Amino acid sequence: MALAAIVIPAPAASAKSTVDWGQCPNDIPTAFLQCAAVEVPLDYQHPDGKKISIEVSRVPSTEPAKRRGVLLFNPGGPGGLGLTFPLELAQAGLPANLLAEYDLIGFDPRGVDHSSPVSCELKPEQFYTIVPKYAHNPAEVTKAAESGKQISRQCASAASSAVLPYISTANTARDMDRIRAALGEPKISYFGLSYGTYLGGVYATLFPDRTDRIVLDSVLGPDGYDITASRRFAEGMQDRFPDFAKWSAARNSSYGLGATPAEVTANYFQLADKLDRHPAGGFDGSLFRSATHSLIYQTSAFPRLAQLWQTFLANQEPPADSLPSTGGPIQSQIATMLSVVCGDHAWPRLISTYQRNVVQDRAAYPLLGGATANVWPCASWPTRPIEPPVEFSDQGPSNLLLVQNTRDPATPLVGALETREAFGERARMVTVDQGGHGVGLPSLNSCGFNAVVDYLATGTRPATDKFCAAEANAAPTPQQQQLLDRLRQY
């Protein structure tokens, strides 16, 4: 495959690290992390121009004599908070050999929280309309387009508007290479989850000879978060929801959501329709659909979802903490997410395109298709992409391991298969017969998790693509559940 992006060489790795490790920012409440700032160009086409700061974290190797190198992480997003992610993984159960072999490196991507944060200065109620509402008819698509247009205007008039065009996946990958160079490392290993798989794929394409061992978990298609990926959320929901329906039907005596999967599914549509007409506790039908989608990311969240449904079936107000958070660094996360999603690719501008897509996806994927095919702010984004998207390449070292669930609600299997094909013999793929988002995390599927650990620790990768059977897994520990809950927003 050809490389369609502007490839800008990064400086060669220095002989030793130039990073000055110290305390982390005050809102990172841990003594187990070290943090530092790495300066990078805002615009890599003008590397001597304006600079921005990327905040980086480190969990040092537990046995420096066994240290192999550095292992960078990205938790997804775009816009996911990355500074504490390595420590959270370590506390959730990363094995001792990985903690010995690597310095674990996290970072807030450009635009996020501690890394030169950006903002669209949105109102809290707008946070719920970034991903568009479920559209039942063409008029509701037009209404969503107006809402998206208002968000785009606010992004364009915000104080950080001049920075937004440079918040892109390709530039974040280039930042990763600047981090590598500052650490004095000739190569980096990498673990990326969800959107982090696309970021890792872009890095492996732009800088193939600077990659060591690359793991991509819950894999986006080779075009990242474009309009196709948005519509595929509905396909993922359709694939995954039967797991929840079956689980609920088996526990009907506890939750009363339906005695059969068909009854549970019917209740989903009845509740969505009811909340469309009569919102309750801040939930309309669209937010109910979105919350259901989010809470089927992990089977361990099924009880929480069942309890939420119970409140609506009983005509009660849901708990206040059921609504998504509007506090903390959410402004920078959303502005970064929009900048990447709308800036990596040019989205269709014609509203009729989305009206047509909604009709198609509402029929094909009735659980969620009317929302995920609807209009994003990207349809009216104030700037066009500053460079063509990176096309994944099969030219380079054979050092990528892809791990993927068969029924992933966020990154369906179809996208992972496309990425696997794009990388050719550079990649191997482990497919796991289970539902949910995430494979190589502690407490999920041991076959998939062990494949990730074996590769990162020993370099042993399956000789051919591999299939892992379904497993009955133990309940996650509190630390593991806390990590899984945080990752649902990505």
Side-chain angles (χ1 to χ4, degrees):
M1 289 188 172
L3 182 62
I6 301 168
V7 181
I8 301 167
S14 52
K16 63 179 182 177
S17 173
T18 60
V19 173
D20 186 15
W21 296 109
Q23 290 187 338
C24 291
N26 292 334
D27 62 337
I28 305 295
T30 176
F32 297 100
L33 278 176
Q34 302 170 330
C35 289
V38 174
E39 188 178 77
V40 302
L42 171 65
D43 179 2
Y44 278 88
Q45 297 183 50
H46 300 92
D48 296 326
K50 178 179 173 62
K51 301 294 192 297
I52 60 173
S53 177
I54 305 298
E55 191 74 12
V56 182
S57 65
R58 178 175 71 165
V59 177
S61 162
T62 57
E63 299 184 54
K66 296 182 178 179
R67 181 184 177 278
R68 173 185 176 82
V70 297
L71 175 58
L72 269 69
F73 292 88
N74 181 272
L81 302 170
L83 279 185
T84 61
F85 187 53
L87 180 62
E88 290 169 305
L89 274 172
Q91 293 174 331
L94 284 186
N97 55 349
L98 283 188
L99 300 179
E101 291 202 16
Y102 294 99
D103 290 345
L104 309 182
I105 305 296
F107 67 103
D108 279 350
R110 58 169 52 205
V112 177
D113 202 17
H114 298 289
S115 293
S116 305
V118 294
S119 173
C120 286
E121 299 173 12
L122 301 178
K123 299 175 182 178
E125 60 267 23
Q126 290 178 299
F127 298 162
Y128 304 142
T129 60
I130 299 299
V131 177
K133 291 194 171 189
Y134 192 96
H136 302 81
N137 52 58
E140 291 182 353
V141 178
T142 301
K143 184 177 180 180
E146 289 302 315
S147 174
K149 190 176 295 183
Q150 178 58 39
I151 290 172
S152 295
R153 290 194 195 103
Q154 288 173 234
C155 293
S157 61
S160 58
S161 61
V163 175
L164 297 183
Y166 304 100
I167 308 295
S168 68
T169 301
N171 278 342
T172 302
R174 294 171 182 130
D175 294 343
M176 287 169 52
D177 206 57
R178 290 292 178 116
I179 293 170
R180 174 202 60 78
L183 293 173
E185 299 289 336
K187 296 182 178 183
I188 59 171
S189 292
Y190 176 82
F191 177 94
L193 180 68
S194 193
Y195 162 77
T197 64
Y198 180 60
L199 175 61
V202 169
Y203 184 86
T205 300
L206 292 177
F207 306 102
D209 294 333
R210 298 174 188 174
T211 58
D212 188 10
R213 297 169 182 171
I214 306 297
V215 174
L216 309 180
D217 183 346
S218 304
V219 186
L220 270 175
D223 294 320
Y225 268 128
D226 61 355
I227 187 173
T228 298
S230 171
R231 296 176 70 181
R232 281 179 175 167
F233 277 114
E235 182 176 355
M237 174 77 154
Q238 212 73 31
D239 290 342
R240 172 61 164 159
F241 184 83
D243 292 342
F244 174 70
K246 181 179 179 181
W247 180 94
S248 300
R251 294 160 178 81
N252 187 50
S253 60
S254 298
Y255 297 106
L257 305 186
T260 66
E263 289 182 9
V264 175
T265 304
N267 270 326
Y268 171 85
F269 289 111
Q270 290 170 9
L271 283 172
D273 181 64
K274 173 183 174 181
L275 291 167
D276 278 335
R277 291 180 283 108
H278 304 291
F283 277 83
D284 60 9
S286 289
L287 193 53
F288 167 76
R289 293 177 178 92
S290 178
T292 298
H293 180 248
S294 174
L295 287 167
I296 62 174
Y297 272 34
Q298 300 299 338
T299 301
S300 59
F302 282 3
R304 182 179 171 190
L305 177 57
Q307 291 162 6
L308 181 64
W309 280 35
Q310 279 183 313
T311 64
F312 294 128
L313 286 169
N315 296 314
Q316 298 172 348
E317 292 285 307
D321 62 0
S322 299
L323 290 169
S325 172
T326 59
I330 190 69
Q331 286 281 2
S332 70
Q333 291 181 270
I334 288 180
T336 298
M337 184 269 286
L338 287 173
S339 298
V340 171
V341 172
C342 303
D344 279 0
H345 298 273
W347 286 53
R349 296 267 168 168
L350 291 176
I351 304 307
S352 59
T353 300
Y354 299 92
Q355 291 172 328
R356 183 168 58 252
N357 291 348
V358 162
V359 170
Q360 293 173 354
D361 288 9
R362 212 170 48 227
Y365 311 113
L367 293 166
L368 199 62
T372 56
N374 204 354
V375 186
W376 280 62
C378 303
S380 53
W381 198 243
T383 60
R384 307 298 278 180
I386 60 173
E387 61 179 303
V390 174
E391 294 184 20
F392 286 179
S393 172
D394 58 2
Q395 301 301 304
S398 182
N399 62 354
L400 281 73
L401 177 66
L402 282 56
V403 290
Q404 176 70 32
N405 287 327
T406 53
R407 302 181 305 283
D408 189 314
T411 55
L413 179 61
V414 60
L417 292 172
E418 290 172 355
T419 293
R420 170 68 181 87
E421 182 179 4
F423 278 121
E425 286 303 305
R426 295 186 65 186
R428 296 289 182 270
M429 183 162 154
V430 175
T431 304
V432 180
D433 182 18
Q434 71 178 16
H437 192 51
V439 176
L441 301 175
S443 87
L444 299 180
N445 181 278
S446 64
C447 175
F449 179 67
N450 289 339
V452 169
V453 171
D454 288 346
Y455 180 50
L456 290 174
T458 68
T460 302
R461 201 177 57 157
T464 60
D465 290 352
K466 178 179 179 180
F467 185 82
C468 290
E471 295 178 1
N473 294 308
T477 65
Q479 293 89 346
Q480 291 166 350
Q481 188 60 57
Q482 183 178 11
L483 174 64
L484 294 173
D485 286 342
R486 184 166 85 83
L487 293 176
R488 279 192 293 105
Q489 63 184 298
Y490 307 143

